[in-house]
Amino acid sequence: MVGSQTDWGVLLELTGPGPKHEQLARVLRKAIRDGVLAGTVPPSRRLAAELGCSRWVVTQAYAQLVAEGYLAGQTGSATRVRQVGDAVAAKEPARAAPPRYDLAPGLPDLRNFPRRPWAEAVREVLANAPHTDFGLPEPDGHPRLRRVLADYLRRVRGAAPGTVLVCGGVTDGVRSVCRALVERGSTRLAVEDPGWTRLRRAAEGAGMTVEPVPVDDEGLDVAGIPAGVRAVLVTPAHQFPTGCVLSPRRRTELLTWARDVGGLILEDDYDAEFRYDRRPVGTLQGTDPGRVALFGSVSKTLSPALGLGWAVLPPQWTVRAHPPSVVDQLALAGFVESGGYDRYLRAARLRYRARRDKLVEALGPARLSGVAAGLHLVLHLDRDAAAVVRAAKAAGVKVADLDGYRTAPGEPALVLGYGNLADTGVEAAARLLRRAMTTV
């Protein structure tokens, strides 16, 4: 903090653009934000003399900072620095250093985000979109993107026509549908166990009670859905995190259950674009669009930072979500219409398949599952998974314990994501992980 012997001419050096009173306001503001200046500021005459400027410069700067809330001035008393809370004086908390190798699941290859095609799509929107597109956004999403998504999902995922809703991602869409369910009096949601913890929390935040249902090699055990439940959340094309596919028998059972109880199936189609052994199975929604709400996003294909997702709802459902930026919506529409999205996905599939093969080979003899699709695999262990996670972290490798996605502990296993792992780091990450396993 400054004191009475402060050399104000040195502390408050006036530089930069703008007139002198703006320069003074700028350096005073920074000194207050940084916690350098507290208590009272000098009288305007004294500070003007020390800075070699007119008193008017000082009074104008003080008046500006009083208006902004940085200073408190009162006739007949000294002008004081206001305590405006931790946001002013506190330093930004230090961010934890990222791991040397991040094998946690959930991210695509951020290094290969299509920067140039995406920038071109955004420029096209800014150059050619009608001025009406820059008004208040449509609550259901821009009609152009909704139409493009309907065509894309029909062509690629076998989705049936429905009400397309543009939202901020799968989590936003699921949360919004859960709110609508609660408003209709349906307050219990069956979920896969293990499954996405983020979606479970979103459902609970919307006011629903979550009912875990076991998953086996055929996917969700439909017979385990509790009586009275009329909504279920599933990942049938590629179960997270086990990687299994909902079997034809279970698909039939699940759709029959929905018809019998008058229920709704929430289908999370989170990474169906990445299947390496054959074409991915079609959506449940395409089989019974009146009983299934289909959710997807670009979070696992392009980037979660875009916050672009969609839901295809049964015609009788009205849901309000949080549509993303109209510019980004129109950029995605253009990216899909131009064929750029399909080209990007074809290249990504080849890249991920090669990376998966490299990781499987680098892990050596191991019991693996879920390797046929997606951006992660499951490594089964014969030792304590939590201890392996800790040992790997100490070695600079971040991995996820399968128990982190379960409601109760089970067979020890790790979930290893390779989507955002650099190709040059696959062998080194696997080597460090194997070494960490030997120490447990």
Side-chain angles (χ1 to χ4, degrees):
M1 304 302 176
V2 298
S4 59
Q5 303 303 315
T6 301
D7 186 343
W8 293 97
V10 174
L11 177 67
L12 304 177
E13 182 180 2
L14 304 187
T15 58
K20 282 192 174 181
H21 68 278
E22 291 182 3
Q23 296 175 24
L24 178 56
R26 187 161 54 243
V27 295
L28 284 169
R29 190 184 297 114
K30 184 177 187 305
I32 294 170
R33 284 176 173 169
D34 292 346
V36 174
L37 183 58
T40 62
V41 293
S44 57
R45 290 184 187 276
R46 175 186 161 196
L47 185 56
E50 293 201 28
L51 295 177
C53 63
S54 70
R55 185 186 176 198
W56 180 88
V57 169
V58 179
T59 58
Q60 287 296 303
Y62 282 3
Q64 179 64 34
L65 295 181
V66 168
E68 293 177 5
Y70 287 94
L71 297 177
Q74 188 173 353
T75 304
S77 61
T79 302
R80 302 187 62 84
V81 175
R82 291 189 62 185
Q83 296 298 317
V84 291
D86 294 340
V88 170
K91 297 289 191 293
E92 185 174 328
R95 300 180 65 177
R100 186 177 178 189
Y101 301 106
D102 189 350
L103 274 70
L107 284 176
D109 193 340
L110 303 181
R111 297 169 186 80
N112 281 285
F113 179 83
R115 293 173 184 256
R116 181 173 296 175
W118 187 258
E120 291 172 353
V122 170
R123 279 195 295 270
E124 176 71 18
V125 172
L126 296 177
N128 298 313
H131 69 275
T132 51
D133 282 341
F134 297 99
L136 291 174
E138 296 277 350
D140 295 337
H142 195 283
R144 178 185 170 194
L145 179 58
R146 294 170 65 194
R147 182 179 65 254
V148 168
L149 287 173
D151 291 343
Y152 172 79
L153 294 170
R154 174 189 53 78
R155 172 173 59 86
V156 174
R157 297 296 298 122
T163 301
V164 178
L165 174 73
V166 180
C167 52
V170 171
T171 301
D172 179 39
V174 168
R175 183 187 297 112
S176 300
V177 170
C178 285
R179 290 192 183 119
L181 283 164
V182 171
E183 290 173 1
R184 293 182 175 215
S186 182
T187 59
R188 299 168 67 196
L189 178 70
V191 299
E192 296 169 328
D193 187 16
W196 274 110
T197 52
R198 186 178 303 169
L199 292 183
R200 288 203 296 260
R201 294 192 193 105
E204 291 170 340
M208 302 205 79
T209 299
V210 168
E211 305 275 3
V213 178
V215 169
D216 58 25
D217 291 342
E218 291 189 79
L220 181 85
D221 181 7
V222 180
I225 299 176
V229 172
R230 287 181 172 78
V232 59
L233 174 63
V234 291
T235 51
H238 183 230
Q239 202 278 330
F240 183 87
T242 66
C244 68
V245 176
L246 192 66
S247 69
R249 178 172 70 90
R250 292 278 175 82
R251 288 170 69 95
T252 300
E253 290 176 358
L254 185 58
L255 290 168
T256 301
W257 167 87
R259 298 187 192 108
D260 290 345
V261 305
L264 180 70
I265 300 169
L266 284 68
E267 180 178 11
D268 179 7
D269 203 39
Y270 70 102
D271 70 354
E273 292 87 353
F274 302 123
R275 184 87 202 182
Y276 309 121
D277 57 346
R278 56 178 170 81
R279 289 183 62 84
V281 296
T283 63
L284 285 170
Q285 188 271 348
T287 305
D288 193 344
R291 292 293 177 191
V292 184
L294 176 68
F295 301 87
S297 76
V298 300
S299 294
K300 301 296 185 294
T301 54
L302 296 176
S303 165
L306 294 175
L308 279 164
W310 54 84
V312 184
L313 306 172
Q316 68 272 23
W317 281 77
T318 300
V319 175
R320 290 290 176 265
H322 299 87
S325 155
V326 172
V327 172
D328 284 339
Q329 290 186 55
L330 293 174
L332 178 60
F335 195 34
V336 174
E337 287 174 324
S338 70
Y341 191 52
D342 285 327
R343 288 191 294 273
Y344 173 79
L345 289 177
R346 283 196 295 270
R349 272 190 290 272
L350 294 174
R351 185 167 60 250
Y352 290 136
R353 179 171 183 169
R355 190 176 303 164
R356 178 209 62 178
D357 292 346
K358 195 173 184 180
L359 178 61
V360 170
E361 182 180 0
L363 288 172
R367 188 159 67 94
L368 304 172
S369 62
V371 299
L375 305 178
H376 71 273
L377 54 81
V378 178
L379 171 61
H380 300 270
L381 303 175
D382 58 1
R383 62 204 72 194
D384 182 48
V388 174
V389 170
R390 291 191 296 270
K393 181 180 179 181
V397 181
K398 182 179 180 180
V399 294
D401 187 341
L402 181 58
D403 277 353
Y405 305 102
R406 294 173 170 138
T407 58
E411 176 196 1
L414 302 178
V415 184
L416 306 182
Y418 52 84
N420 198 35
L421 179 64
D423 291 324
T424 55
V426 172
E427 283 100 344
R431 182 173 62 252
L432 291 172
L433 177 57
R434 291 199 314 269
R435 188 179 304 164
M437 290 168 59
T438 64
T439 66
V440 175

